[in-house]
Amino acid sequence: MAGRTALVTGAASGIGLACARALADAGAHVHVVDRAGEAAERLADELGGTPWVVDLSEPDVVDTLPADVDVVVNNAGIQHVAPVHAFPPDLFALIQRVMVETPFRVLRRTLPGMYERGWGRVVNISSVHGLRASPYKSAYVTAKHALEGLSKVVALEAAEHGVTSNCVCPGYVRTPLVENQIADQARTHGISEEEVVGRVMLERSAVKRLIEPADVAEAVLWLCGPRTGHITGSSLSMDGGWTAN
């Protein structure tokens, strides 16, 4: 990745942070995009990258981000758990804006430069919920399914320009977002956090442990490598066997 530039959204924590570090360690200059200002600036300083402190729920802020990048990792996301009949419509719309519209706007801005240079890598951090559904996660499942579709369209349009577009679809990853869900579900079900992980989250997974962010980042880095030019329009499952059921 020496000499390449990468833009990672939601880069200040969790999967995004691991991806930013992996890309920087491989030689890329990383644009660290996150609304958590201090964390983004601290990480950019650590990596020798550039911080961009923006709230991606405001679509127009994408126009302030750099357009001239070689790699885009669409990672930023939020979660809310509630049944459909009780799901707040404004929150449903917010989740679509951050997790579908923002990736579209980022790619609309960055693809022309990739096309001009004849090389680029788009990696969308999807989820097992981009391939399967779970109750009470209507907004998140809808957004991840939409991201899968966007990724495939980009793969078809971008192939002739030397640009690939893929999704990485992890199961439950040890991130702040997931750890908050563990605590919430433990309170809701009246069970321990350990039981939430084993009996609720990983019930459908053959591998009974959470995925580490660094493992996802390694998959992202591999998809950005020099020998993956024929891998496009794909969804790489990292779900511990969930979708094998």
Side-chain angles (χ1 to χ4, degrees):
M1 299 298 295
R4 303 288 190 191
T5 57
L7 185 149
V8 182
T9 66
S13 66
I15 294 172
L17 185 151
C19 289
R21 282 182 172 153
L23 290 162
D25 287 346
H29 180 92
V30 179
H31 294 285
V32 176
V33 181
D34 206 290
R35 66 181 180 179
E38 289 185 11
E41 290 168 358
R42 187 165 56 248
L43 179 63
D45 184 63
E46 172 195 326
L47 303 180
T50 305
W52 298 85
V53 182
V54 295
D55 184 349
L56 293 175
S57 69
E58 301 173 10
D60 289 344
V61 304
V62 170
D63 294 335
T64 69
L65 299 178
D68 190 18
V69 297
D70 302 299
V71 172
V72 167
V73 180
N74 283 311
N75 166 72
I78 50 180
Q79 176 66 287
H80 182 75
V81 177
V84 170
H85 67 271
F87 209 103
D90 57 342
L91 191 49
F92 186 96
L94 171 65
I95 290 172
Q96 308 316 305
R97 207 156 57 239
V98 172
M99 296 171 59
V100 182
E101 184 177 350
T102 290
F104 159 75
R105 286 177 175 265
V106 168
L107 294 176
R108 184 176 183 273
R109 182 167 173 78
T110 56
L111 283 173
M114 296 183 194
Y115 291 173
E116 184 177 335
R117 291 185 296 277
W119 193 92
R121 295 288 185 265
V122 176
V123 184
N124 300 297
I125 305 301
S126 181
S127 165
V128 67
H129 284 117
L131 307 173
R132 298 289 188 273
S134 289
Y136 311 119
K137 297 182 178 181
S138 57
Y140 189 85
V141 170
T142 297
K144 291 301 189 183
H145 274 68
L147 185 62
E148 294 275 340
L150 174 63
S151 183
K152 290 177 172 63
V153 171
V154 171
L156 296 178
E157 293 183 4
E160 64 181 294
H161 303 288
V163 177
T164 65
S165 175
N166 295 286
C167 286
V168 175
C169 304
Y172 286 101
V173 182
R174 195 184 304 279
T175 65
L177 186 149
V178 167
E179 288 174 343
N180 289 337
Q181 287 184 63
I182 293 171
D184 288 344
Q185 292 202 38
R187 284 190 296 270
T188 299
H189 295 287
I191 59 178
S192 70
E193 293 189 3
E194 291 75 15
E195 288 176 295
V196 169
V197 173
R199 287 172 45 193
V200 179
M201 289 187 164
L202 301 181
E203 179 185 7
R204 287 173 283 184
S205 297
V207 179
K208 300 296 185 183
R209 62 178 182 273
L210 295 176
I211 303 164
E212 298 301 326
D215 294 339
V216 181
E218 283 298 317
V220 171
L221 183 61
W222 176 71
L223 285 171
C224 294
R227 302 193 183 280
T228 53
H230 281 80
I231 301 175
T232 196
S234 296
S235 299
L236 176 61
S237 295
M238 298 183 66
D239 58 15
W242 183 331
T243 51
N245 287 314

